Amino acid sequence: MGRAGCLSFYPTKNLGAYGDAGMIMTSDEKLATRLRTLRNHGQTGRYLSTERGWNSRLDELQAAILRVKLAIWRTGPPRAQAHAAATIRC
């Protein structure tokens, strides 16, 4: 496994938000701290930017949509299940 993994929640993906969205996962605490800083305009404290970053936070609406979709997706998208069953029959 690498230091980080990235997930895309682009609207056309199986688990998609209603707008651009994504997530980075890591077990490297130093990298996680740096990524949190960068996603918040490079701020390490209130009004204190130590490096140039960007505004890249998942808003509450996108998170709520993904949370509902994840509950449904865990059981498997019906269309994907149908395709899988058809493929196995062939």
Side-chain angles (χ1 to χ4, degrees), residues 53-86:
W54 56 90
N55 178 6
S56 189
R57 296 177 298 269
L58 188 67
D59 63 61
E60 291 85 2
L61 178 62
Q62 299 298 338
I65 291 164
L66 287 169
R67 188 174 184 173
V68 170
K69 284 184 158 189
L70 182 58
I72 297 166
W73 186 77
R74 283 185 179 161
T75 62
R79 189 171 54 181
Q81 288 177 343
H83 286 296

Side-chain angles (χ1 to χ4, degrees), residues 7-77:
L7 300 174
S8 171
F9 301 123
Y10 189 75
T12 59
K13 302 284 184 171
N14 287 336
L15 182 59
Y18 282 1
D20 288 342
M23 177 171 54
I24 302 173
M25 300 176 297
T26 183
S27 58
D28 183 330
E29 192 57 42
K30 186 176 179 181
L31 178 59
T33 300
R34 175 116 195 275
L35 291 169
R36 282 187 205 103
T37 298
L38 290 173
R39 71 156 187 194
N40 192 26
H41 301 290
Q43 292 184 6
T44 54
R46 188 175 180 125
Y47 307 119
L48 175 64
S49 294
T50 55
E51 62 184 310
R52 195 175 294 208
W54 56 90
N55 178 6
S56 189
R57 296 177 298 269
L58 188 67
D59 63 61
E60 291 85 2
L61 178 62
Q62 299 298 338
I65 291 164
L66 287 169
R67 188 174 184 173
V68 170
K69 284 184 158 189
L70 182 58
I72 297 166
W73 186 77
R74 283 185 179 161
T75 62

